[in-house]
Amino acid sequence: MEIEKRSMEIIAPYLKNLNLTDEETKVYSRMIHAAGDVDYASIIKISSKAIDATKKAIQNGKNIFTDVEMVRTGINKRTLSKFGGEVFCKVADEEVKKLAEREGITRSMAAMRSFGEELNGSIVAIGNAPTALFEVLRLVREEKILPAVIVGIPVGFVGAADSKKALADQNQIPFITVEGTKGGSPIAVAAINAIIYILNNSR
Amino acid sequence: MEIEKRSMEIIAPYLKNLNLTDEETKVYSRMIHAAGDVDYASIIKISSKAIDATKKAIQNGKNIFTDVEMVRTGINKRTLSKFGGEVFCKVADEEVKKLAEREGITRSMAAMRSFGEELNGSIVAIGNAPTALFEVLRLVREEKILPAVIVGIPVGFVGAADSKKALADQNQIPFITVEGTKGGSPIAVAAINAIIYILNNSR
């Protein structure tokens, strides 16, 4: 707890010109801490309704759907479960493996596709695979699937920046993302856990 | 596979002045990709014997001990198991929780301490907690515990940089680390998986 407080103090000067709300400050700080990289202050993008939408979804016991096991592992499931929600990841399922082979798509894409209508009203958390984020955006656009919020933070040099730009360029679903090549599972986890803790501390 | 190849090509120019071996190039590339951050090229530190020591430990079926579940989750356990090794994390154990309370230390420290002599000859992988890395270095110094290699990449603004400097400043145990505040579970995972894949591809 003391480490967290000290960390927030160190990060604070990098946020002071961003005009953030208290809740945004908490989310930014936890994301920046998870990367150990203050340059995130200028590349984190949170749409205006994203934190409220995430809070409401958690409070209503909605589930969280992730692209990779590392994101599922990192989310504080014990605290989330106080609100009724659970966290699901299908990337290692046999059924998803077969779907990916049959359709010639990545397993991460197949995993998101197989969630299908379960994503309606839920929280999507992507920390690794650009293809998973592109697939969720396709589900929104073409199949009228409407998650409550998309935390989309894939990482790397092939597709990640483009997938996150596509997320930030749509205005149908509230989102939390990071511009460019940086990102990854702990950053997506940090955003979600920050909001879980905001809710838990105000119970 | 194609994404991985393209990613390596994009990263290559950032490595060309570092005089890396082929194996070091693979480890660096995977770590840089996991962060989506080419600035890692200048802050990754791999001691001269670290890759060989890690290869030998894996080939001899040695286990990997991690500070957090996200590191355990990310390591490719299926491929590792071909060589006989397993991955362990104790941070959520009841026994570790009690030890932490009794000794007034963090759970991450208690988890590493409770591994004790199991760490001899093994691979230590730390992706989150500076206190875990400090504790492993204390075990080496004071209790003559000798891991084969320490992949020590805690992240953040409180203690992480100091713990990694302490790792790089000792010369008893081969190490893989990252200077400064950056790091995290996917970076530690990337270093280990890169070496698992080097071995697996040469089987």
Side-chain angles (χ1 to χ4, degrees), chain B residues 9-194:
Chain B
E9 288 167 2
I10 292 167
I11 293 166
Y14 298 93
L15 303 180
K16 72 169 190 284
N17 294 322
L18 299 178
N19 282 316
L20 303 179
T21 65
D22 281 359
E23 291 184 347
E24 285 170 339
T25 299
K26 285 178 182 161
V27 176
Y28 269 66
S29 297
R30 200 165 269 272
M31 292 172 76
I32 290 169
H33 182 82
D37 182 355
V38 292
D39 291 349
Y40 271 76
S42 63
I43 55 176
I44 292 169
K45 301 293 157 195
I46 302 182
S47 72
S48 58
K49 293 177 184 158
I51 293 179
D52 277 348
T54 309
K55 285 169 66 178
K56 195 183 287 182
I58 293 169
Q59 282 175 314
N60 290 337
K62 299 297 184 183
N63 293 323
I64 302 178
F65 297 93
T66 77
D67 63 332
V68 289
E69 286 291 343
M70 280 184 79
V71 175
R72 204 186 69 76
T73 299
I75 292 171
N76 190 323
K77 293 172 288 296
R78 187 188 298 222
T79 307
L80 179 70
S81 72
K82 295 185 190 175
F83 302 93
E86 291 180 74
V87 189
F88 297 93
C89 177
K90 277 194 177 177
V91 76
D93 285 14
E94 270 307 307
E95 160 214 346
V96 161
K97 190 178 160 186
K98 283 180 199 155
L99 175 63
E101 282 167 8
R102 203 166 57 234
E103 306 276 329
I105 60 180
T106 69
R107 279 197 211 179
S108 306
M109 274 178 86
M112 299 321 286
R113 190 176 298 179
S114 72
F115 286 131
E117 299 203 343
E118 288 185 272
L119 300 182
N120 279 315
S122 78
I123 296 167
V124 172
I126 293 172
N128 188 268
T131 56
L133 180 50
F134 278 126
E135 175 64 13
V136 171
L137 293 172
R138 189 196 66 77
L139 290 169
V140 170
R141 207 171 50 240
E142 295 180 9
E143 307 196 15
K144 314 297 175 213
I145 303 285
L146 298 175
V149 61
I150 300 174
V151 179
I153 314 182
V155 61
F157 302 94
V158 183
D162 290 343
S163 71
K164 291 182 287 186
K165 184 168 189 315
L167 174 62
D169 283 350
Q170 61 82 43
N171 49 28
Q172 208 171 352
I173 311 291
F175 63 85
I176 298 177
T177 191
V178 169
E179 282 179 353
T181 57
K182 292 181 184 179
S185 300
I187 321 302
V189 165
I192 294 202
N193 281 345

Side-chain angles (χ1 to χ4, degrees), chain A residues 23 26-35 40 44 70-71 74-76 125 151 153 176 184-198, chain B residues 70:
Chain A
E23 290 183 347
K26 284 178 183 163
V27 176
Y28 269 66
S29 297
R30 200 166 270 273
M31 291 171 77
I32 290 169
H33 182 80
Y40 272 74
I44 293 169
M70 281 185 79
V71 175
I75 292 171
N76 190 323
V151 178
I153 314 182
I176 298 177
S185 299
I187 322 302
V189 164
I192 294 204
N193 281 345
I195 299 173
I196 293 174
Y197 299 146
I198 287 169
Chain B
M70 280 184 79

